[in-house]
Amino acid sequence: GFHKFCDAHGFLKPNDARALSLMNAAACAVMEEFRDMVIAIGMSDEYSFVFKRETSLYGGRVSKINSAVVSCFTAHFVMKWPSFFPHTPLKYAPTFDSRLVSYPTDENIKDYLSWRQVDAHINNLYNTTFWSLVGSGMPNSSAQEMLSGTLSNDKHELLFSKFGINYNDEPAMFRKGSVILWTQTSKDLQTAEAKTSCAVSADEDDSTGANLEEAPVASSAPVSEPSQPSQSSLPPSSIHTTPNRVKFELSVVHEDLIGPTFWKKYPGIIPHLSFARIRRMLTKHHKNHQHGKSSNSSNSNAKGASDNSGNMDSEGHAPKAKRKQPT
């Protein structure tokens, strides 16, 4: 399982930025390979990908899409390992599984993605508190007993009063997870975002055979983390552009999906939503429905603390999620 994989490779607890960044890099490679994907969200040991609704990838064959996405993710996870763990050789091959899921409405998908982020927040807050207690010398069983039945505010207070940790100051990638989307940026505009975005880009003349008429066009206001210019969220192969003025690249951001702000900022994502998910934990298969495709892959070696926004009310304003017990 993933706990064994983490221990064998010395992953840091409750979060290992190297492992999370590796997951992000593998996910970027998947989105570069499958240009019909419009957004992805990842946290801890899983990644979820969203296809545009009009995708005709592999003629809609579920097994083909399912196997292609997970094998692509796994291959890039292994290939990119040395870049993120240069002093830790991969001791054995990680294994991933996936599933393809369809949702009937855009709101269903938005709710799902929001739920994943809430789950990330719940897990990361718990694990941050748990490992702080264990790090102070408390046995695992005692830490679990102490946290049993506690609410979000209780954990915030415990972290601050006992360890001087303001949870809201924890890295956004740990608290909120990572969102990957295509951004349209002026070529002559140099920004910090260009330096932190995925190492995947495509100019406007990049052609992958996508239908130009199906392109969602979106514009966004500047964001605070990280700073970036006015952008559009859309695949590089499916939009009309001004020659030599615009480039497209995959960007990783750590923003709240809950509420309307994100979707107003990137309005071009919604018109073509469909769903795909990749995970690093074994999961149950879901029945495929009629409106869109989704693929999910899991690593049977998986673990980690997920993350979401510290100011989110995870107790009553979002779907409940199972808490991952640390080991």
Side-chain angles (χ1 to χ4, degrees), residues 16-191:
D16 194 316
R18 300 168 301 171
L20 294 173
S21 297
L22 173 57
M23 291 285 287
N24 291 344
C28 284
V30 171
M31 290 190 69
E32 167 66 9
E33 180 68 23
F34 301 100
R35 296 296 184 88
D36 279 358
M37 290 178 177
V38 295
I39 189 173
I41 180 173
M43 69 287 297
S44 181
D45 55 10
E46 69 176 65
Y47 242 100
S48 300
F49 296 93
V50 177
F51 286 100
K52 65 180 182 180
R53 188 175 300 282
E54 296 85 356
T55 186
S56 58
L57 181 65
Y58 301 133
R61 287 177 288 167
V62 173
S63 60
K64 180 78 170 180
I65 299 172
N66 206 23
S67 60
V69 172
V70 67
S71 61
C72 181
F73 186 92
T74 306
H76 283 286
F77 184 91
V78 173
M79 289 180 63
K80 296 178 185 298
W81 176 273
S83 297
F84 296 90
F85 292 89
H87 306 298
T88 306
L90 193 60
K91 296 182 179 181
Y92 58 91
T95 56
F96 295 80
D97 82 76
S98 68
R99 68 179 176 221
L100 198 67
V101 183
S102 297
Y103 288 120
T105 70
D106 296 340
E107 288 303 314
N108 291 149
I109 296 177
K110 288 166 63 178
D111 287 346
Y112 171 81
L113 296 176
S114 296
W115 168 61
R116 296 315 307 136
Q117 198 172 65
V118 170
D119 187 40
H121 165 62
I122 294 173
N123 289 326
N124 189 63
L125 178 57
Y126 180 91
N127 287 340
T128 299
T129 310
F130 175 87
W131 288 111
S132 294
L133 291 171
V134 172
S136 69
M138 184 177 291
N140 287 22
S141 58
S142 298
Q144 289 177 345
E145 182 178 354
M146 183 175 183
L147 294 177
S148 177
T150 58
L151 301 178
S152 176
N153 288 340
D154 300 326
K155 298 181 185 71
H156 277 273
E157 178 61 27
L158 192 157
L159 283 172
F160 189 77
S161 62
K162 190 174 180 65
F163 304 105
I165 297 175
N166 185 335
Y167 181 76
N168 292 327
D169 292 337
E170 291 293 290
M173 180 170 66
F174 300 164
R175 294 182 291 109
K176 302 180 183 181
S178 300
V179 177
I180 306 176
L181 65 164
W182 288 103
T183 55
Q184 175 183 329
T185 311
S186 174
K187 279 186 175 181
D188 56 3
L189 197 55
Q190 299 297 323
T191 67

Side-chain angles (χ1 to χ4, degrees), residues 201-216:
S201 64
D203 290 339
E204 37 70 35
D205 59 353
D206 186 341
S207 176
T208 58
N211 188 337
L212 294 177
E213 284 68 36
E214 294 177 352

